[in-house]
């Protein structure tokens, strides 16, 4: 898939968005052990849920054909150039109760929401980049989050001016956009 096609899908399915997807099948590339579930989003076979986020027993995973809600965690670009959208199941019965994904404890989350409500500007330090995946990680105010990046990622250790645009209750994560002269991303759309 071309870079512009990938960017279009990333805009269509931004990190943090809640989407409905149809579970297609468990993915078992190494034999009998399932590593995750494939999910179709708007007719596209681009979603994937890590097995560690699903119930421990395969018979409790959502069955093929089940339509349920997910939160978009991140975008991974495979070696083939294909986009894989990593998902978090919103329905508790389809989750491993011990699984987390960069979320914070309830107490930590309440402090973050008090200190950094939507609209707050923060300074974040770039702690990792993930090419070609179209995101980088920043830390700020004792927390970390991923930021979508369709341009070249900033250098490790860079300090960026960012704005809190969304607080995700399902996963206790913060969505930020750059306001430091970098391209402000992602384009936020309704959930």
């Amino acid at each position: 898939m071309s870079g512009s096609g990938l960017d279009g899908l990333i805009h269509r399915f931004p990190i943090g968005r809640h989407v409905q997807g149809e579970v297609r099948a468990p993915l078992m590339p190494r034999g009998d052990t399932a590593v995750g579930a494939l999910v179709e989003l708007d007719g596209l076979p681009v979603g994937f849920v890590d097995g560690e986020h699903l119930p421990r027993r395969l018979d409790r995973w959502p069955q093929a054909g089940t339509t349920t809600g997910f939160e978009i965690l991140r975008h991974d670009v495979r070696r083939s150039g294909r986009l894989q959208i990593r998902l978090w199941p919103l329905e508790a019965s389809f989750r491993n109760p011990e699984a987390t994904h960069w979320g914070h404890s309830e107490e930590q989350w309440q402090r973050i929401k008090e200190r950094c409500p939507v609209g707050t500007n923060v300074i974040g330090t770039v702690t990792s980049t993930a090419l070609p995946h179209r995101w980088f990680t920043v830390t700020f105010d004792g927390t970390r989050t991923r930021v979508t990046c369709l341009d070249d990622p900033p250098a490790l250790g860079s300090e960026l001016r960012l704005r809190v645009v969304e607080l995700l209750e399902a996963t206790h994560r913060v969505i930020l956009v750059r306001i430091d002269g970098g391209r402000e991303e992602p384009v936020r759309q309704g959930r």
Side-chain angles (χ1 to χ4, degrees):
M1 181 175 288
S2 71
S4 62
L6 289 172
D7 293 351
L9 281 174
I10 290 168
H11 277 288
R12 185 174 169 188
F13 299 107
I15 293 174
R17 159 120 1 120
H18 286 194
V19 295
Q20 291 290 308
E22 183 179 341
V23 176
R24 301 310 301 162
L27 182 61
M28 301 183 195
R30 297 180 195 97
D32 294 335
T33 304
V35 297
L38 301 172
V39 178
E40 190 172 287
L41 302 174
D42 290 342
L44 301 170
V46 294
F48 182 77
V49 182
D50 285 304
E52 67 187 37
H53 296 157
L54 293 163
R56 292 182 193 269
R57 291 181 35 194
L58 186 60
D59 65 339
R60 297 193 183 211
W61 286 21
Q63 298 299 306
T66 300
T67 298
T68 189
F70 299 94
E71 184 174 296
I72 296 174
L73 296 174
R74 69 178 193 263
H75 307 102
D76 288 352
V77 179
R78 311 318 300 171
R79 283 187 212 140
S80 65
R82 187 177 63 83
L83 178 67
Q84 186 177 77
I85 299 172
R86 304 300 271 242
L87 303 168
W88 175 263
L90 292 172
E91 188 172 323
S93 66
F94 294 147
R95 268 196 320 264
N96 175 348
E98 297 171 8
T100 62
H101 189 77
W102 282 40
H104 299 85
S105 71
E106 190 61 38
E107 182 179 318
Q108 293 169 321
W109 184 238
Q110 293 308 317
R111 283 196 308 264
I112 290 167
K113 291 191 318 182
E114 289 171 14
R115 287 190 320 258
C116 302
V118 171
T120 301
N121 291 340
V122 299
I123 302 294
T125 302
V126 178
T127 56
S128 71
T129 59
L131 286 177
H133 298 312
R134 309 288 206 288
W135 51 266
F136 59 89
T137 304
V138 297
T139 58
F140 70 97
D141 198 30
T143 191
R144 67 181 179 158
T145 194
R146 290 188 174 116
V147 178
T148 298
C149 179
L150 299 180
D151 296 328
D152 291 330
L156 289 175
S158 299
E159 288 193 347
L160 305 176
R161 291 181 55 236
L162 304 145
R163 179 173 296 122
V164 176
V165 293
E166 196 164 359
L167 298 168
L168 303 172
E169 290 295 334
T171 53
H172 291 182
R173 295 182 311 141
V174 178
I175 298 293
L176 302 169
V177 294
R178 292 180 68 176
I179 56 172
D180 63 355
R183 198 160 126 190
E184 188 165 315
E185 300 170 39
V187 173
R188 300 305 298 169
Q189 301 167 0
R191 284 172 105 136

